[in-house]
Amino acid sequence: MPLRLATFNIENLMARFDFSGFRKQWRQDRVVKMFGVEDQELYRDLEQARLISETDDTRQLSALAIAETAADILCLQEVDDMAALQAFEENYLYRMLGYGYRQKILVEGNDSRGIDVAVMMRDRTRDGLPIELVDVRSHATLTYQDLDLFTPQIALTNQPQDRIFRRDCLEVDVKIGGRPLTLYVVHFKSMTGSREEGDARMATMPVREAEARAVRHIIEQRFDRNLANRNFVICGDMNDYQERVKVIGDRLDGYRFEPAREEVSALDIFSRDGFAENIVRRRPEMDRWTLYHARGPQEQHLCQLDYLWLSPALSRANPDAVPQIIRNGQPYRTVFPPDQAVERFPRIGWDRPKASDHCPVVVSLEIQ
């Protein structure tokens, strides 16, 4: 009987207001910029009203995307705190799904914005197998010097005592019908925020590589020689890709799509020597993307940032499993390749509201 496992960057599931845009223009919402608000109290009032209105639409769409996965276990990224997760589940998911995700796991991590990774689980799978939470471990306090991962490249932006994970590597042990499964939920360093000019992805690559090496170290230390026979999945937004689909053209002249392989990726650390399988690669080459990136018509591509990396044992036990990518919550600005267009959820906008900038990924797995 399969387990439905999903990962989803839900994009800023917040339970607080951020008023820093009044003094930091790059943090200010574009609609408020149109009005040139100079009074701080007025700005706060407008920002609260804007965010409350926008959030209701957004979270309805996020809940629709989650409902579409029909997941038994859902790994989330960009969650503010447990209060925000609880409120979202009770007021949005429950209204759509009824009896839902009663088991919730969140440990405060390292992110400067306060966004964390989390897990929500049903008590039973859709087929009635019990889902038992066995143990939870956070690895947020691991430092570069702890794992001997401090390199000259890392030294450009970090100190030896700095923490490796930008958020956390949340390790969750469960049993599915009595059979063990371990989840490693992550959200790696973004491809922005570098002090270097030029290619931001390459400039931030050393941090993501260290995060990937740390995850692999944790797993190898845990399972040692039995690794090949253990059930584990590395889940989350890894902010990197090994391939992408270039989007060339515009709406007037039309688009063409070109697949491209990357010479280097932080995720090579997982795929190297069969350590784990990116199960999304079982989909056609042009149909693996979970995010549309665009900075004007000259820089557009579709890429996979959201992953379910299966252990060798799970991969062997599920040779025919092919994941789904839920794209109905994408805004209308997202450019879809031919034959991939989907019916959007109600009230989706050109850029917003939307379910998230990311797409949920879900797969049905037999746990043996």
Side-chain angles (χ1 to χ4, degrees), residues 216 227 270-277 310-312:
R216 181 160 178 167
L227 188 145
F270 293 152
S271 59
R272 187 182 304 139
D273 62 33
F275 174 74
E277 181 194 356
L310 269 57
S311 68

Side-chain angles (χ1 to χ4, degrees), residues 176-192:
I176 312 300
R179 298 179 179 125
L181 171 67
T182 303
L183 305 175
Y184 295 89
V185 188
V186 299
H187 184 186
F188 286 173
K189 169 77 174 100
S190 70
M191 290 182 277
T192 60

